[in-house]
Amino acid sequence: MFDKILIANRGEIACRVIKTARKMGIKTVAIYSDADKQALHVQMADEAVHIGPPPANQSYIVIDKVMDAIRQSGAQAVHPGYGFLSENAKFAEALAAEGVAFVGPPVGAIESMGDKITSKKIAQDANVSTVPGYMGLIEDADEAVKISQEIGYPVMIKASAGGGGKGMRIAWNDEEAREGFQSSKNEAASSFGDDRIFIEKFVTQPRHIEIQVLCDTHGNGIYLGERECSIQRRNQKVVEEAPSPFLDEATRKAMGEQAVALAKAVGYASAGTVEFIVDGDKNFYFLEMNTRLQVEHPVTELITGVDLVEQMIRVAGGEPLSITQDDVKLTGWAIENRLYAEDPYRNFLPSIGRLTRYRPPAEQASGPLLENGKWQGDAPEGAVAVRNDTGVYEGGEISMYYDPMIAKLCTWAPTRDAAIAAMRDALDGFEVEGIGHNLPFLSAVMDHPKFVSGDMTTAFIAEEYPDGFEGVELPEGELRRIAAATAAMHRVAEIRRTRVSGRMDNHERKVGTDWVVTLQGESFDVVIDADHDGSTVRFADGAAIRVASDWTPGDQLARVSTDDDMLVLKVGKISGGFRIRSRGADLKVHVRTPRQAELARKMPEKLPPDTSKLLLCPMPGLIVKVDVEVGQEVQEGQALCTVEAMKMENILRAEKKGVVSKINASAGDSLAVDDVIMEFE
């Protein structure tokens, strides 16, 4: 076995590989750019080597620089993680020439399966059902439009060397095909150094289900069940689970056997994933094969007990698989939520900055959970596991140069309903401040009836949030619980304020029992009857809620028992109350005396400034190009400019007809959120 492994990656996946290598007694080497000097993976590794400036195309994907780091460190093997060089055949060849083991598949498998055009041809030759499309290379936008017309809209425009949603667009008409082709080429060149594009039919209402395969160099191959990855945004997965709530055992077996056969056909050895789209009748079509470790691999590990990173390292070291297909048992249910640095209230646009607060829920496993993730016998009733794969820490910075993922939060339980319930609790207790993030959206998805029923497709987010995510409207029962909790919390804060030292004599302040709580447009008159063990909060209609908590003023997380039902609230202070975040809702809660409430109702509402004649930069990013000029009349939906952030190009369009009166930015400019790009008459 290897003594030292270099991880040719960064962030959470580098940290993930380091954990397994450490468990195996293998030393690790991290590589880092200027932007990652203080990164968590650098701190965790035994050694670290600097490889260049922040942009990935000047550091992490420059093969010569990574090879220099290998020589400096004396690493015997390299784990590429995912993204960057993980599916780069030239990198694997360079390692082989240097006598360094690649913790991944053979070069031939990378070339044939990693290239989406070639892999589709091989799948067709192997009689694997594939999606209709054009397998050849496409020279320009005009040819892309012609091919799209022949296939029939909608079509998917994809980078041949792509992955992770990069270099991918859906086009519903000629104009979108033309724009999508160019943007996909640009993103592909920037992210992968390969701008080849192909086009295939976009199957509407599909499920995205993938099979995890594991093969060795001795001809053995197995599949470890499937992962449901249908909840996606901009073709990038957001929520994954294993197994799929849709598949039956017969379909699972057929997909698994086909995936293994395809892997063996190209001499595959290592962990890999065969992706399928599955229609409502459980017909499945080969989509692509990812010749690397997938982002969502933890859910497979949680239901099988197989450490995929360890298996990859052992296969790279020439060992045969220690498990057979008969040894693979799917136990319980696992769900993964990807926590991204992106603002759901701004249509999920990237957010960068410093993590002023980062407190994930504690990782846990109740019951006899062994180190390898398997339960000893049957999992005990009520057993829950929480896992958080991350590459950041409190005080660290989220950079504009890399993928916006912060963490992958996973839960396991014996049943799907229990796993969802565990995820809700874990999300409620996950504290992130300083940047925009998608925690509220993830909480909303976990409560959404379609997700809870398991009846979702890849169109879930587009269908359920067509106008973007604007927060959750909580039902009255939940509002009452929060009103009771915050009223009791406000009373605690008021009592503390009465005990401030240095008061004037004969000016004692007493805390009353009558309060008015306003939130989400609702107003509740309450009376608090407090005792040593908590408070009974009575509403005007006679209903009462018993509240108990150890919350103290200043705590940013409150765990409040309301009639013996636990409520977890993220708490911020605002004038006259709290900012409360719970289950996808972001609420301003005011707790006032009856007289204060009466006066507050007479206050005029403050209106936001008028920005209807301005184009504001929606995220920190780089202006790639400006498509209009001063004096030009623009139509609704017309492209105005392109902003690049976190490796993704975003086309900003006119919201209505107008004339450009001023342009404040040009290609190459770096802008902050809400910087004015252009103005209109």
Side-chain angles (χ1 to χ4, degrees), residues 472-491:
V472 171
E473 291 282 314
L474 296 176
E476 183 172 334
E478 195 71 8
L479 289 180
R480 280 177 175 257
R481 292 177 65 209
I482 293 175
T486 51
M489 291 160 58
H490 183 76
R491 176 183 173 278

Side-chain angles (χ1 to χ4, degrees), residues 624-639:
V624 176
K625 66 173 180 175
V626 177
D627 297 295
V628 295
E629 44 188 48
V630 174
Q632 181 177 341
E633 182 177 273
V634 297
Q635 305 299 318
E636 180 180 354
Q638 182 175 338

